[in-house]
Amino acid sequence: MAQQGTTKQGRAGQRVALLVAGTGVFWILVTLLGSEYGWSVQIRAFFDLAALAGFGFALWQTYQLWRARQHEQQRHASQHDKGDN
């Protein structure tokens, strides 16, 4: 098995993890700044929606990564099945 981060899928997984962590940090910072500077509810809601979009995009990327791994496992299994005949 390849080390984490050395394969294409490993790097994609690391990017998704960084996206989730970055979105979380962004959301916390914007929430703190909004309360400190008294931003309006509309501006805070905008940044909440932006964070929600970031998390949604990360979820979509995770799903795509999962599908790619499933496809690769099925392809790998079918190649082994052909060799057994």
Side-chain angles (χ1 to χ4, degrees), residues 2 6 12 17-18 24 34-35 38 43 45 49 68 70 72 76 78-79:
T6 59
L18 287 173
S35 64
I43 293 175
L49 288 174
Q70 293 295 315
E72 184 178 308
H76 186 67
S78 68
Q79 287 175 352

Side-chain angles (χ1 to χ4, degrees), residues 35-83:
S35 64
E36 181 69 26
Y37 292 110
W39 292 350
S40 69
V41 174
Q42 290 87 0
I43 293 175
R44 290 183 191 187
F46 171 76
F47 284 113
D48 285 345
L49 288 174
L52 184 61
F55 287 127
F57 182 68
L59 183 61
W60 176 253
Q61 291 297 309
T62 302
Y63 174 73
Q64 293 293 323
L65 183 60
W66 176 76
R67 291 277 311 237
R69 286 183 179 167
Q70 293 295 315
H71 179 70
E72 184 178 308
Q73 286 176 355
Q74 288 174 355
R75 189 180 52 158
H76 186 67
S78 68
Q79 287 175 352
H80 282 295
D81 289 345
K82 290 178 184 176

